[in-house]
Structure formats: structure tokens, C-alpha cells
Amino acid sequence: MKCGKLENGFLRVRCEDCHHERLDAFSCKKWGFCPSCGASRMAQTAALLSDHIFPHQPVRQWVLSLPFPLRFLLAAKPELITPVLKIMVRAISSALIKKAGLTHSDAETGAVTLIQRFSSALNLNIHYHMLFLDAPI
């Protein structure tokens, strides 16, 4: 891992009152996120999913963003994130099964969801990255 080294990325922290500045290297141990470690985890997860989890079926990615009031509600009450996800998975699964001309008793769908709490600008943006098998299995 490359975290904790200034040459691999850092934040400049400045006090608004005294104007003292300090550089802090990205580190999983200090900030709770590290671009280097995050990219490594993302690559490992993608390899695991493609090599071992999904069968050799087409996969479609769905990125579901929420209206601002709902984002704020889920941020304030994180226990609601899973029930909202269940509703979305049920709706997409039903649509895929119906499009295939099947019923819920005839088919099941497969999906993996990664919940992201921030956008690339690090602002609050709870959204769901969902990978669905493109055809019922």
C-alpha cells in the first residue's frame, strides 16, 4: 500500500484563525479513506465478482441516485438504507423477470450492491451501485 506517504497524495490543512498550515498524507489510519487503498480494494472486489461470484452471464450496472431530501434522511437515519435498497432490488428484479416473460415462481435474479455515501467531490451523496445479472437465472 502507498498510504501515509506525501508523494502519493495529501491534504493541506489550514487553520482559519492563525493561518498555520500542515500537510497530512492520505492514510487509512488517519482519515478513514485513502485513494490508494480504496483503488486497491475496488480492483480486488471487481476481480472477485468477475472471477468467482457471477456466472458467465451478462451483467448490467444500475446506479441509483436519490432525491436530496431522501439522501439527507438516509444520512440522518442510516438504518433506513437497507429497507430502501430492498425496495429497489425488488422493483428491478420484478422488471427483469417480467421482461423475460417469467414469474417470480419460475425465476430468480442475482445482484450485488455497493452503497456509496459520497461523490467524487466528497459531498454527501448516498447512492447505490448495483450489478444485476442481465437475464434471470
Side-chain angles (χ1 to χ4, degrees):
M1 296 292 168
K2 297 179 181 178
C3 62
K5 297 178 182 176
L6 289 174
E7 62 266 21
N8 295 317
F10 61 88
L11 295 175
R12 175 182 279 166
V13 183
R14 181 175 180 242
C15 176
E16 290 293 320
D17 296 330
C18 71
H19 304 290
H20 174 75
E21 291 186 3
R22 187 176 89 195
L23 299 179
D24 279 326
F26 285 136
S27 171
C28 298
K29 296 175 185 156
K30 285 187 173 181
W31 292 97
F33 74 93
C34 171
S36 175
C37 295
S40 175
R41 279 192 299 274
M42 182 177 61
Q44 290 171 352
T45 301
L48 174 72
L49 290 173
S50 64
D51 294 345
H52 301 290
I53 304 299
F54 287 124
H56 296 285
Q57 294 275 340
V59 176
R60 186 174 303 259
Q61 179 180 5
W62 296 67
V63 180
L64 299 170
S65 188
L66 305 169
F68 286 108
L70 192 51
R71 290 180 202 177
F72 298 139
L73 175 66
L74 294 180
K77 297 184 180 231
E79 66 273 10
L80 297 177
I81 291 175
T82 300
V84 169
L85 172 62
K86 287 181 181 180
I87 292 168
M88 290 189 290
V89 167
R90 187 172 50 231
I92 295 171
S93 293
S94 295
L96 290 173
I97 289 171
K98 184 178 178 182
K99 187 174 182 174
L102 301 170
T103 65
H104 283 281
S105 60
D106 299 329
E108 292 183 11
T109 57
V112 172
T113 302
L114 300 169
I115 300 169
Q116 195 168 357
R117 299 183 59 84
F118 299 96
S119 70
S120 60
L122 294 181
N123 58 333
L124 177 64
N125 182 11
I126 295 174
H127 58 286
Y128 302 83
H129 290 264
M130 306 171 81
L131 298 174
F132 265 87
L133 292 173
D134 204 25
I137 56 172

